[in-house]
């Protein structure tokens, strides 16, 4: 990434160490003339470390044209050759994985360990997409239509696709989509979150080294205007979106209106259920539950944000979790031993503090208050400490709304059925986990809970790259999910071929 060598906009080179996050279109780095720039902050210090280009409709139009121009010859490149480019990228990403993780921590705020996990999941998606010659195969049947009339189905790419990505996994989320899309023979545009453009910018510097034909994969930085230009352009065949539910729904409706394929993953309110028979296992379960609720400062779409203690499990679970949460080490993610980093922005911190105020007003008991969190040496950072409410009832706003911060609401319920009813009454359906020793309870939970990712004694049920990243109800708009076989379905169309040679 270009390091700024001269003062920019009154700031010194040191203050803007990542320079300007630019577009990569047609195999070239471009900063569109006159494009507005937004500051990119390190949230642990509330300090600008870079700027990002906000691309307008004309720049998106140009990128789509370039991607469309690259499509015919890329489509004609044999799948096995397309996969070889990804093998090269895998090697480069592995060699740069620590650097990428450090960029993510500086840009996003999550701890270095979390960032390392994110990079490895991104690489895992490249590995799976390398199997495209097998994954993309069709199927056929001799005499399938009638005697001596054979029938087969083949998969074909469609053209130009694009991804619109959220801030919370700057490197991983784009990889749920683009490696599969280009491996299938499509060309692509990635639009990262304008809050965290740095990891993908660095990854595109690696992509630049693998020798792909220009225009096959493009990076367009920007915000709302950039997205709308992608949603409306008839040359874009499909949109993959990940972000908050209101925007997911809007993207789904607007992009579908122009006939596109859309997969739009939205927000979440995920439940963790502790059964009475799990109390003896709490030693092991507590750190798992803490990781789910407070890991990445609660800014995961799979974060557990409501804990339902069934019967006798409620009191010990609440006590053990609260005690352990008091000892979580908060700080800058690059510093050793830090377990909880800042949230993404001042606005996010304000929103989380307001939600906590509202929880208190609505009568929930605040047993751990993270609002006044302060980290020595990082006083300006956007820190919120672990926050725990007890006595949360389903009517409260803190029980219904996605807070997307380190806030855990706890309730007691009488039975597993009550817990399942609570989960199913939520408008969201991203993830739910149960802690139990009973296979019967686990099976009942899996069978009846309406949520896409189910964990049994696992707090963050994050699908590996060869499984779909599922989601239901208000957490997902569309049919086919990201990753693995679903991605291959999304990025290809099926053609049936019937032949008679008599
Ligand atoms: P967001 O909805 O604010 O932004 C997501 C993307 O949409 C960004 O690229 C942004 O530039 C763009 N955008 C924002 N507002 C827009 C608008 N009005 N019109 C067009 N484009 C717009 O989400 P975020 O805050 O970046 O990410 C956090 C959210 O993402 C949380 O709700 C989280 O649960 C969700 N998320 C979901 C999943 C999942 O798999 N379901 C995964 C990760 C994050």
């Amino acid at each position: 990434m270009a390091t700024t060598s001269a003062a920019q906009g009154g700031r010194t080179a040191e203050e803007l160490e990542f320079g300007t996050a630019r577009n990569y279109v047609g195999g070239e780095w471009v900063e569109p003339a006159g494009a507005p720039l937004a500051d990119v902050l390190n949230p642990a210090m509330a300090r600008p470390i870079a700027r990002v280009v906000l691309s307008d409709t004309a720049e998106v139009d140009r990128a789509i044209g370039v991607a469309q121009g690259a499509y015919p010859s890329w489509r004609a490149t044999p799948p096995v050759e397309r996969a070889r480019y990804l093998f090269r990228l895998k090697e480069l990403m592995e060699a740069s994985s620590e650097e990428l993780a450090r960029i993510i921590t500086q840009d996003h705020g999550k701890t270095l360990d979390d960032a390392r996990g994110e990079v490895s999941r991104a690489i895992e998606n490249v590995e799976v997409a390398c199997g495209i010659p097998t994954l993309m195969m069709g199927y056929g049947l001799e005499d399938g239509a009638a005697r001596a009339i054979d029938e087969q189905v083949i998969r074909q790419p469609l053209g130009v696709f694009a991804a619109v990505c959220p801030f919370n996994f700057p490197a991983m989320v784009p990889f749920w989509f683009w490696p599969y899309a280009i491996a299938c023979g499509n060309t692509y545009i990635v639009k990262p979150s304008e809050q965290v453009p740095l990891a993908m910018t660095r990854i595109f510097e690696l992509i630049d080294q693998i020798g792909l034909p220009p225009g096959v994969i493009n990076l367009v930085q920007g915000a709302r205007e950039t997205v709308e230009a992608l949603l409306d352009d008839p040359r874009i065949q499909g949109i993959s979106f990940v972000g908050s539910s209101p925007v997911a729904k809007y993207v789904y409706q607007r992009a579908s209106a122009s006939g596109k394929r859309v997969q739009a993953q939205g927000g979440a309110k995920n439940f963790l259920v502790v059964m009475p028979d799990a109390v003896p296992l709490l030693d092991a379960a507590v750190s798992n539950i803490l990781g789910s609720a407070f890991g990445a400062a609660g800014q995961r779409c799979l974060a557990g944000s409501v804990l339902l203690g069934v019967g006798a499990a409620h009191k010990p679970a609440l006590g053990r979790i609260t005690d352990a949460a008091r000892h979580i080490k908060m700080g800058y993610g690059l510093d050793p031993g830090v377990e909880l980093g800042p949230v993404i922005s001042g606005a996010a911190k304000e929103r989380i503090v307001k939600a906590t105020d509202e929880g208190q007003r609505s009568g929930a008991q605040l047993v751990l208050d993270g609002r006044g969190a302060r980290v020595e040496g990082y006083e300006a950072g956007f820190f919120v400490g672990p926050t725990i409410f007890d006595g949360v009832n389903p009517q409260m706003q803190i029980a219904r709304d996605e807070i997307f911060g380190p806030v855990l609401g706890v309730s007691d319920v009488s039975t597993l059925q009550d817990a399942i009813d609570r989960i199913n009454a939520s408008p969201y359906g991203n993830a739910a986990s149960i802690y139990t020793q009973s296979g019967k309870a686990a099976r009942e939970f899996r069978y009846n809970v309406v949520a896409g990712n189910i964990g049994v004694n696992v707090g963050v049920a994050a699908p590996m790259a060869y499984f779909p990243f599922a989601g239901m109800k208000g957490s997902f708009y569309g049919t086919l999910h990201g990753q693995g076989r679903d991605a291959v379905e999304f990025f290809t169309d099926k053609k049936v071929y019937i032949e008679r040679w008599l």
Side-chain angles (χ1 to χ4, degrees):
M1 197 171 297
T3 302
T4 328
S5 57
Q8 293 191 12
R11 299 188 191 94
T12 65
E14 194 199 350
E15 283 172 328
L16 280 171
E17 58 255 50
F18 291 98
T20 299
R22 296 176 295 165
N23 294 345
Y24 180 84
V25 175
E28 300 204 330
W29 288 100
V30 275
E31 184 172 338
L37 299 172
D39 277 340
V40 178
L41 303 186
N42 178 327
M45 302 159 190
R47 175 171 85 66
I49 53 172
R51 295 186 300 186
V52 59
V53 164
L54 301 179
S55 306
D56 63 8
T57 307
E59 179 62 8
V60 174
D61 178 70
R62 195 176 79 79
I64 297 171
V66 165
Q68 203 180 29
Y71 173 62
S73 84
W74 182 243
R75 181 200 161 176
T77 305
V80 69
E81 285 178 34
R82 297 196 297 249
R84 284 186 192 127
Y85 291 97
L86 294 173
F87 275 110
R88 268 173 243 152
L89 180 64
K90 170 182 148 60
E91 281 176 17
L92 288 178
M93 285 183 72
E94 278 169 348
S96 303
S97 62
E98 189 64 12
E99 180 201 353
L100 290 170
R102 293 181 78 84
I103 292 172
I104 292 170
T105 298
Q106 292 170 78
D107 197 8
H108 172 281
K110 64 179 70 175
T111 64
L112 194 52
D113 269 354
D114 265 352
R116 287 177 180 136
E118 173 172 356
V119 173
S120 67
R121 184 56 55 88
I123 295 171
E124 194 183 287
N125 274 283
V126 177
E127 289 167 345
V128 175
C130 283
I132 210 66
T134 309
L135 287 171
M136 202 182 159
M137 272 182 194
Y139 45 90
L141 191 63
E142 278 188 338
D143 308 309
R147 183 180 294 268
I149 304 179
D150 303 332
E151 182 162 349
Q152 54 180 299
V153 62
I154 49 179
R155 287 183 188 280
Q156 296 187 331
L158 287 100
V160 186
F161 281 81
V164 176
C165 306
F167 81 82
N168 64 324
F169 282 97
M172 177 186 77
V173 166
F175 282 79
W176 290 350
F177 311 114
W178 79 261
Y180 304 96
I182 71 157
C184 287
N186 303 285
T187 54
Y188 212 79
I189 297 173
V190 175
K191 205 292 286 173
S193 162
E194 65 278 25
Q195 297 190 87
V196 291
L198 302 180
M200 279 315 287
T201 304
R202 178 66 188 126
I203 288 169
F204 266 78
E205 288 177 354
L206 303 179
I207 290 173
D208 189 46
Q209 296 170 38
I210 63 176
L212 274 168
V216 169
I217 172 86
N218 305 278
L219 175 69
V220 174
Q221 314 275 8
R224 184 178 180 153
E225 181 184 349
T226 322
V227 176
E228 286 176 348
L230 290 167
L231 301 184
D232 292 344
D233 195 297
R235 294 168 295 174
I236 297 273
Q237 301 298 317
I239 293 279
S240 301
F241 173 88
V242 181
S244 56
S245 282
V247 183
K249 190 172 180 184
Y250 158 77
V251 162
Y252 181 74
Q253 289 170 340
R254 187 157 171 168
S256 317
S258 62
K260 294 178 180 34
R261 295 178 167 209
V262 193
Q263 45 183 192
Q265 302 187 207
K269 193 83 184 173
N270 303 315
F271 290 78
L272 305 167
V273 175
V274 183
M275 295 295 286
D277 68 358
V279 172
L281 306 178
L282 275 176
D283 273 347
V286 162
S287 72
N288 199 260
I289 292 171
L290 287 189
S292 175
F294 305 123
Q299 300 171 118
R300 285 194 193 121
C301 64
L302 296 178
S305 49
V306 183
L307 185 137
L308 303 176
V310 178
H314 167 248
K315 259 208 162 89
L318 175 66
R320 300 282 289 277
I321 291 161
T322 308
D323 284 348
R326 288 184 210 286
H327 298 107
I328 289 178
K329 185 173 173 196
M330 198 163 46
Y332 182 30
L334 287 186
D335 291 341
V338 167
E339 297 164 301
L340 176 63
V343 297
I344 186 67
S345 64
K349 177 172 176 169
E350 201 177 310
R351 193 196 63 241
I352 296 161
V353 167
K354 273 196 183 144
T356 307
D357 297 344
E358 166 56 32
Q360 267 190 312
R361 263 198 303 278
S362 64
Q365 295 150 254
L366 188 57
V367 292
L368 191 61
D369 185 357
R371 285 174 296 187
R374 192 177 158 279
V375 176
E376 210 184 314
Y378 301 99
E379 285 76 8
F382 308 128
F383 289 96
V384 182
T387 300
I388 300 178
F389 279 106
D390 190 22
V392 173
N393 72 49
Q395 287 74 42
M396 292 174 178
Q397 211 169 310
I398 51 163
R400 293 196 318 264
D401 294 354
E402 180 181 45
I403 298 173
F404 222 54
V407 180
L408 179 67
V410 179
S411 301
D412 59 335
V413 292
S414 305
T415 63
L416 173 59
Q417 190 56 50
D418 292 343
I420 293 172
D421 291 345
R422 274 283 289 273
I423 297 169
N424 289 349
S426 166
Y428 295 106
N430 221 33
S433 291
I434 185 169
Y435 292 85
T436 184
Q437 300 192 62
S438 157
K440 180 173 183 290
R443 204 260 174 192
E444 202 172 320
F445 188 80
R446 186 194 74 206
Y447 194 84
N448 291 310
V449 163
V450 185
N453 304 285
I454 300 290
V456 176
N457 300 317
V458 170
V460 182
M464 300 289 283
Y466 29 89
F467 286 100
F469 199 101
M472 294 177 176
K473 296 196 283 183
S475 295
F476 181 69
Y477 298 90
T479 312
L480 295 165
H481 300 274
Q483 299 197 144
R485 288 186 225 164
D486 264 35
V488 175
E489 286 283 344
F490 186 76
F491 293 119
T492 55
D493 216 344
K494 291 190 274 292
K495 190 179 270 179
V496 172
Y497 179 61
I498 300 177
E499 54 187 339
R500 178 170 62 185
W501 292 102
L502 294 175

